[in-house]
Amino acid sequence: MTPTLELRHLTRRLPSGGRALTILDDVSLAIAAGEFAAILGPSGSGKSTLLALMAGLDRPTSGEVLLDGEPIQDLSEDALSLRRRRKIGFVFQSYQLLGNLTARENVLLPLELTGAADAGERADSLLAAVGLAERGHHFPAQLSGGEQQRVALARAVVTRPAIVLADEPTGNLDSENSALVLNMFQELNYRFNQTIIMITHNPEAAAMCKRIVQMRDGHILEPSTAARL
């Protein structure tokens, strides 16, 4: 079976003071459909660069990124943007909700861009799934951090992308709201078989995933571990 996402011998170098700084060094990784995987590592380990390469937001110095078996690293910016819109959802540490739109309107926006006929029904269903059925008319400033992150999660999966990429999604949350958001990830992964890849420096957050991939100094430490059966 072709992995949903496959990284082959990825290297990323950047110029730094007249020399090349290696951010990632010969990284290979395969993520299967329906996995909920954590990329765990300290600051500076290369995990955020790895996420950007997975999404086609950055390009490798060498190596390949394959999405559903097709390499994406040499696609044009327009082609990459279209591929992301169709196949990838994003959840960010800083939520990145539009402040002038309500929670429901934030979730609706990706569906409106695709012209989905059942946009309202899908948005309402997902707001209910993340426990915010009664909060859809509120603006982001009227929501707690945990509620904003749950809106962001609903927005990320509302178009039913093959992959959801989450960049430190609990980094700005207290322990109670972190647990709520991570439980939502588990539930949505189970209900919709969404492939979820979460970048984190927090071992407790990583332990909520089905698989943990550890990174240090631009390398993946093998073997990766199964956090839950």
Side-chain angles (χ1 to χ4, degrees), residues 184-197:
M184 287 295 101
F185 271 114
Q186 289 180 323
E187 177 67 15
L188 293 169
N189 173 250
Y190 173 76
R191 286 184 58 186
F192 302 109
N193 198 40
Q194 222 96 35
T195 303
I196 300 175
I197 304 170

Side-chain angles (χ1 to χ4, degrees), residues 56 59 67 70-81 83:
R59 296 180 188 263
L67 183 59
E70 298 180 7
I72 67 169
Q73 71 279 349
D74 294 326
L75 295 177
S76 68
E77 291 299 329
D78 287 345
L80 277 170
S81 178
R83 191 69 57 93

Side-chain angles (χ1 to χ4, degrees), residues 158-215:
V158 73
T159 58
R160 299 168 188 163
I163 300 172
V164 175
L165 300 177
D167 188 7
E168 297 280 6
T170 62
N172 287 335
L173 305 180
D174 59 27
S175 57
E176 181 179 355
N177 279 304
S178 293
L180 284 171
V181 167
L182 290 168
N183 285 333
M184 287 295 101
F185 271 114
Q186 289 180 323
E187 177 67 15
L188 293 169
N189 173 250
Y190 173 76
R191 286 184 58 186
F192 302 109
N193 198 40
Q194 222 96 35
T195 303
I196 300 175
I197 304 170
M198 181 178 74
I199 299 296
T200 184
H201 66 276
N202 186 340
E204 292 181 3
M208 300 287 285
C209 302
K210 296 176 181 176
R211 178 185 176 193
I212 299 173
V213 178
Q214 296 195 53
M215 287 196 72

Side-chain angles (χ1 to χ4, degrees), residues 82-101:
L82 182 61
R83 191 69 57 93
R84 281 193 293 267
R85 190 185 310 164
R86 290 176 174 173
K87 292 184 178 262
I88 299 175
F90 294 94
V91 181
F92 301 97
Q93 179 177 347
S94 56
Y95 322 134
Q96 295 199 10
L97 300 176
L98 296 178
N100 61 332
L101 300 181

Side-chain angles (χ1 to χ4, degrees), residues 39-82:
I39 310 295
L40 174 65
S43 178
S45 60
K47 58 188 187 298
S48 293
T49 298
L50 190 69
L51 190 80
L53 292 172
M54 289 176 178
L57 296 170
D58 192 10
R59 296 180 188 263
T61 304
S62 61
E64 289 187 306
V65 180
L66 287 83
L67 183 59
D68 291 335
E70 298 180 7
I72 67 169
Q73 71 279 349
D74 294 326
L75 295 177
S76 68
E77 291 299 329
D78 287 345
L80 277 170
S81 178
L82 182 61

